[in-house]
Amino acid sequence: MASRLDALKQHSLVVADTGDLDAIRRYQPQDATTNPSLILKAFDMPGYQPLIERELAALPAQGDKQERAARAVDHLAVAMGSEIAGVVPGRVSTEVAARLSFDTQASIRKAHELIELYAQRGIGRDRVLIKLASTWEGIRAAEVLEKEGINCNLTLLFSDAQARACFDAGVFLVSPFVGRVTDWYKKETGRDFTPENDPGVQFVRGVCERVSQGGYDTVVMGASFRTTDQVLALAGCPRLTISPALLEELATEHGEVTPAVSLSDPQSSRPAPLDESGFRWEHNQDAMANDKLAEGIRRFDEDQSRLEQRIADRL
């Protein structure tokens, strides 16, 4: 009997939520997605040390150590992404720094820089997804980039308002979170949840339903899983990005996987697009989404700062 991982791949495209090349080779995902937290983990992996030494040695000497370290993060992200692109058949998501999450123009400029760094390594924009936080400013940046032919992955997505704004903007892919949503509700209520009443699972199913009912082209990729039960409860979601630990569990379990996400036929009309005030009001009304978006941006920035300091110490 096939593993649950192989069975899951019959219903959803599997994406590796890691920068670990060995894990990516082992589980053979379609795509891979990275963020500063994952790059920070990769910074200590023996297999990446020659690449890190090479990239740091090649950095231009302009600026002080902190300025050079900040530039080095982009170069390392693209260097690691290029290695990953040589292993996966699909795309690599590469993140714009979280500290730019409320600056549309700076996010666009950073995206252009990342695409240019990939081009210098022979990796075309068709192999890359620019990853942005799902703030109003991040979504507006994605709207511009999509019109330029630069596809985007909108992350840290916790509310219906964020999802609707991404669909309106023509974003290529959204990453609604599962585990962090459930974490919030468990803390607030003191309850445990089964896969069927799990708030994170229900949220992502709702995003999938909204996409299909509206006839939008945006791809939904469930993210931030805590358990394989959560993963399997979203079988049938177009893409699922899964950590190596959960990929290993799925690869060693055997059994059938039944689709749990059903996509509806498009309705005759779509809701009116959200304007900025409507977006901010609707998102504001969701306490969980407000808390988790702000926390996620802070966490990514903290890991980016830690990574910059680790790099500065080696320069």
Side-chain angles (χ1 to χ4, degrees):
M1 183 177 289
S3 71
R4 286 194 182 272
L5 180 58
D6 287 336
L8 178 66
K9 289 179 180 179
Q10 302 304 309
H11 307 294
S12 301
L13 281 179
V14 170
V15 177
D17 196 10
T18 181
D20 183 345
L21 282 172
D22 289 337
I24 292 169
R25 290 189 183 98
R26 187 177 313 126
Y27 303 116
Q28 299 181 331
Q30 174 71 17
D31 296 351
T33 180
T34 64
N35 59 44
S37 307
L38 296 175
I39 295 172
L40 184 61
K41 291 179 182 177
F43 200 75
D44 290 321
M45 293 178 183
Y48 272 122
Q49 296 313 303
L51 179 149
I52 292 169
E53 294 295 339
R54 184 170 66 248
E55 293 301 317
L56 296 187
L59 274 178
Q62 295 94 338
D64 60 23
K65 278 190 176 183
Q66 291 301 326
E67 291 171 331
R68 294 179 68 204
R71 289 199 305 273
V73 171
D74 290 340
H75 285 262
L76 280 176
V78 171
M80 291 180 179
S82 298
E83 293 287 318
I84 293 168
V87 178
V88 298
R91 298 183 184 236
V92 179
S93 289
T94 301
E95 191 143 341
V96 167
R99 65 191 58 148
L100 303 180
S101 295
F102 302 102
D103 189 329
T104 295
Q105 294 305 314
S107 294
I108 293 170
R109 288 193 296 272
K110 180 58 69 177
H112 289 161
E113 291 172 12
L114 292 170
I115 290 295
E116 176 58 28
L117 288 173
Y118 270 110
Q120 292 171 10
R121 296 173 180 273
I123 306 296
R125 62 179 60 184
D126 61 318
R127 300 293 313 283
V128 179
L129 291 178
I130 294 296
K131 203 170 179 185
L132 297 152
S134 299
T135 57
W136 178 258
E137 295 80 4
I139 295 167
R140 298 281 67 79
E143 184 174 35
V144 172
L145 294 167
E146 293 286 356
K147 290 175 180 176
E148 297 175 352
I150 298 173
N151 292 148
C152 299
N153 171 356
L154 272 289
T155 188
L156 294 176
L157 196 148
F158 300 100
S159 72
D160 286 339
Q162 289 174 294
R164 285 178 58 194
C166 287
F167 305 156
D168 294 340
V171 168
F172 178 81
L173 182 145
V174 293
S175 295
F177 279 31
V178 180
R180 295 193 197 187
V181 172
T182 306
D183 292 346
W184 191 90
Y185 281 102
K186 288 177 73 171
K187 183 178 179 181
E188 286 293 307
T189 66
R191 292 176 54 198
D192 289 321
F193 299 97
T194 68
E196 283 310 307
N197 68 9
D198 185 303
V201 170
Q202 291 179 338
F203 170 59
V204 177
R205 286 180 179 173
V207 174
C208 290
E209 185 173 344
R210 187 179 289 281
V211 162
S212 59
Q213 287 182 345
Y216 298 103
D217 293 329
T218 300
V219 176
V220 179
M221 181 170 73
S224 171
F225 292 101
R226 299 290 182 257
T227 67
T228 57
D229 284 342
Q230 288 179 329
V231 174
L232 296 173
L234 284 169
C237 180
R239 300 189 193 196
L240 301 170
T241 179
I242 307 169
S243 69
L246 296 184
L247 287 171
E248 177 64 21
E249 284 189 44
L250 291 166
T252 54
E253 294 174 359
H254 295 276
E256 296 181 357
V257 172
T258 303
V261 175
S262 56
L263 303 180
S264 316
D265 291 331
Q267 296 179 346
S268 57
S269 62
R270 294 178 178 178
L274 281 174
D275 60 11
E276 182 175 356
S277 62
F279 169 85
R280 294 193 186 281
W281 178 253
E282 289 195 22
H283 184 74
N284 181 72
Q285 297 305 96
D286 189 328
M288 175 277 296
N290 270 275
D291 289 352
K292 300 312 287 186
L293 175 61
E295 178 189 70
I297 290 171
R298 288 195 301 270
R299 282 186 181 179
F300 281 167
D301 184 58
E302 288 166 4
D303 282 345
Q304 171 119 1
S305 296
R306 288 171 59 200
L307 182 57
E308 289 174 2
Q309 188 56 55
R310 294 281 304 276
I311 292 169
D313 292 343
R314 290 178 63 163
L315 291 175

